[in-house]
């Protein structure tokens, strides 16, 4: 009998991750336009905001999933909505940029580009210094006023095109280009101050503690001290890196085109651990929160990985296809989705 009880206890211990994965969501929400999540999430008070591939923008109650309001655009929403005060900004794939009242979804202003193929916005918006920054496929980085959407300046990139969103910090815009050029740009004037590069397309950079980190499809992750543009380290992952470098817990975490998650020491770039999702390309950025790295995978699961050990604590599974957009952890709840939005206790 004692042996039987011991065996049962062992089964229960090893089954705990699976039991965690099987818990019920707080709520699910299916967008009324039938579209899948196309970017990330934003939060404004108790509202959760997101866009879909069919042009819908939604504000729902982040506690129970009830609909506050919805907006119907004309093209896929790219990136996560950006909330500043009482306004929410977002971009569409055809190059349109829209500003809505965040409380009721009414239109404040909208900029519609000339209708040609080089108007596309492949990634979303970044805000700072009273402006919105975004890249269009006409090889230009745009800075427009948050007040009215009027263009303040443009910066011309290379002929290979700009396909990722820039980053902003402390009066500077950080831009990675498809042909591997990395630039630091004055946010007021649009003038390139300095930069560097990589051997492949550069993802959206990340900024923390006076350093900028950028990753590339050539498999590299680099750290550069912003003041003086001093290179600090350059690490090779071995796979094409498909996400931005995510900073937290003294580490840098990236995802690759073959489903690998890699954690690097933020100070020196040394590899801390690797985790294989075995789910194909990791297209959305991981999130670091409370000592856990959350990774959306192409196999329809979100992996909760211990940031110290690189071991799985538990998984959340949609059982309905890959995670099609970013994930968000807010007030002890994790949000992710595809054609359905899921909310689980963290």
């Amino acid at each position: 009998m004692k042996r039987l009880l011991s065996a049962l206890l062992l089964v229960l211990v090893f089954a705990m991750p699976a039991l965690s994965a099987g818990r019920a969501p707080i709520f699910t929400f299916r967008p009324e336009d039938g579209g899948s999540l196309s970017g990330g999430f934003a939060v404004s008070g108790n509202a959760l905001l997101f866009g879909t591939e069919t042009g819908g923008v939604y504000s729902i109650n982040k506690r129970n999933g009830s609909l506050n309001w919805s907006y119907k655009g004309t093209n896929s929403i790219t990136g996560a909505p950006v909330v500043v005060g009482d306004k929410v900004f977002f971009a569409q794939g055809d190059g349109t940029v829209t500003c809505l009242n965040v409380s009721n979804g009414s239109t404040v202003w909208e900029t519609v580009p000339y209708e040609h193929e080089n108007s596309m916005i492949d990634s979303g918006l970044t805000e700072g210094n009273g402006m919105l920054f975004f890249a269009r496929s006409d090889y230009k980085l745009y800075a427009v006023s948050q007040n009215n959407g009027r263009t303040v300046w443009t910066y011309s990139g290379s002929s290979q095109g700009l396909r990722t969103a820039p980053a902003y910090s402390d009066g500077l815009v950080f831009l990675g280009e498809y042909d591997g050029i990395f630039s630091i740009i004055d946010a007021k004037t649009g003038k390139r101050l300095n930069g560097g590069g990589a051997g492949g397309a550069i993802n959206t950079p990340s900024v923390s503690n006076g350093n900028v980190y950028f990753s590339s499809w050539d498999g590299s992750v680099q750290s550069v001290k912003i003041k003086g543009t001093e290179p600090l380290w350059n690490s090779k992952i071995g796979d094409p890196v498909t996400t931005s470098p995510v900073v937290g817990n003294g580490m840098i975490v990236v995802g690759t085109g073959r489903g690998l998650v890699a954690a690097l020491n933020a100070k020196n770039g040394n590899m801390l651990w690797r985790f294989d999702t075995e789910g194909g390309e990791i297209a959305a950025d991981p999130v670091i929160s409370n000592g856990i790295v959350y990774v959306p995978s192409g196999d329809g699961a979100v992996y909760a990985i211990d940031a110290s050990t690189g071991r799985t604590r538990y998984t959340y599974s949609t059982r309905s296809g890959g995670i099609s957009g970013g994930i968000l952890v807010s007030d002890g709840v994790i949000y992710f989705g595809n054609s359905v939005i899921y909310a689980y206790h963290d």
Side-chain angles (χ1 to χ4, degrees), residues 242-256:
T242 50
T243 74
S244 298
V246 179
V247 187
N249 276 58
M251 63 177 62
I252 307 297
V253 177
V254 294
T256 78

Side-chain angles (χ1 to χ4, degrees), residues 53-98:
E53 62 184 2
T54 48
V57 177
Y58 293 86
S59 170
I60 65 175
N61 187 301
K62 72 174 189 177
R63 294 176 178 173
N64 58 29
S66 61
L67 179 66
N68 298 322
W69 53 260
S70 64
Y71 172 91
K72 178 59 179 174
T74 59
N75 208 276
S76 177
I77 308 301
T78 61
V82 173
V83 175
V84 182
D86 62 351
K87 298 180 176 65
V88 56
F89 308 92
F90 57 90
Q92 297 182 60
D94 63 359
T96 301
V97 177
T98 304

Side-chain angles (χ1 to χ4, degrees), residues 1-345:
M1 185 66 179
K2 289 182 178 180
R3 290 181 180 178
L4 178 59
L5 287 173
S6 298
L8 286 173
L9 286 172
L10 285 172
V11 169
L12 286 172
V13 168
F14 285 105
M16 283 305 292
L19 291 174
S20 297
R23 58 189 170 183
I26 302 170
F27 69 80
T28 60
F29 177 87
R30 187 179 295 273
E32 59 192 17
D33 63 0
S36 293
L37 179 69
S38 58
F41 297 95
V43 168
S44 176
N46 287 325
L48 181 73
L49 299 107
F50 58 91
T52 69
E53 62 184 2
T54 48
V57 177
Y58 293 86
S59 170
I60 65 175
N61 187 301
K62 72 174 189 177
R63 294 176 178 173
N64 58 29
S66 61
L67 179 66
N68 298 322
W69 53 260
S70 64
Y71 172 91
K72 178 59 179 174
T74 59
N75 208 276
S76 177
I77 308 301
T78 61
V82 173
V83 175
V84 182
D86 62 351
K87 298 180 176 65
V88 56
F89 308 92
F90 57 90
Q92 297 182 60
D94 63 359
T96 301
V97 177
T98 304
C99 172
L100 305 180
N101 183 298
V102 75
S103 62
N104 58 27
S106 61
T107 302
V108 179
W109 56 257
E110 188 168 67
T111 64
V112 181
Y114 294 111
E115 294 184 3
H116 58 77
E117 61 181 6
N118 286 332
S119 293
M120 294 185 297
I121 299 177
D122 291 324
S123 298
L125 309 174
T126 300
E127 73 88 14
N129 210 42
M131 290 182 280
L132 301 170
F133 307 98
F134 56 91
R136 280 198 177 121
S137 53
D138 60 358
Y139 317 124
K140 292 181 180 179
L141 173 71
Y142 286 77
V144 304
S145 169
Q146 292 181 14
N147 292 328
N148 52 33
R150 294 176 183 169
T151 300
V152 179
W153 53 256
T154 62
Y155 169 82
S156 295
S158 69
S159 60
Q160 295 266 352
L162 306 177
R163 305 186 187 184
T164 58
Y168 171 86
S169 179
D170 197 23
L172 300 173
V173 179
F174 303 87
L175 178 68
E177 300 190 34
Y178 191 73
D179 63 355
I181 297 174
F182 172 73
S183 299
I184 301 177
I185 299 166
D186 188 304
K188 291 183 178 179
T189 65
K191 303 297 183 183
R192 187 178 191 270
L193 302 177
N194 42 46
I202 296 175
N203 304 300
T204 299
S206 298
V207 180
S208 178
N209 295 324
N211 298 333
V212 59
Y213 304 90
F214 61 94
S215 58
S216 170
W217 283 67
D218 70 353
S220 66
V221 181
Q222 299 185 48
S223 173
V224 176
K225 188 175 182 180
I226 296 172
K227 189 174 182 180
T229 321
E230 177 187 351
L232 299 177
W233 51 259
N234 184 340
S235 296
K236 299 296 183 182
I237 303 300
D239 286 354
V241 180
T242 50
T243 74
S244 298
V246 179
V247 187
N249 276 58
M251 63 177 62
I252 307 297
V253 177
V254 294
T256 78
R258 288 189 281 219
L260 180 72
V261 185
L264 309 174
N265 186 303
K267 291 183 178 180
N268 54 32
N270 291 342
M271 184 70 66
L272 298 175
W273 50 258
R274 295 172 182 258
F275 177 86
D276 193 349
T277 68
E278 299 180 357
E281 178 183 342
I282 299 174
D285 294 344
V287 170
I288 304 174
S289 178
N290 295 324
I292 298 177
V293 179
Y294 297 92
V295 181
S297 175
D299 63 0
V302 173
Y303 293 88
I305 305 169
D306 189 294
S308 299
T309 65
R311 296 176 181 174
T312 309
R313 286 196 180 182
Y314 44 86
T315 61
Y316 304 93
S317 180
T318 66
R319 297 181 176 86
S320 59
I323 308 301
S324 57
I327 58 177
L328 172 74
V329 180
S330 176
D331 294 333
V333 178
I334 179 171
Y335 304 92
F336 60 92
N338 39 44
S339 59
V340 178
I341 306 302
Y342 297 83
Y344 280 90
H345 284 299

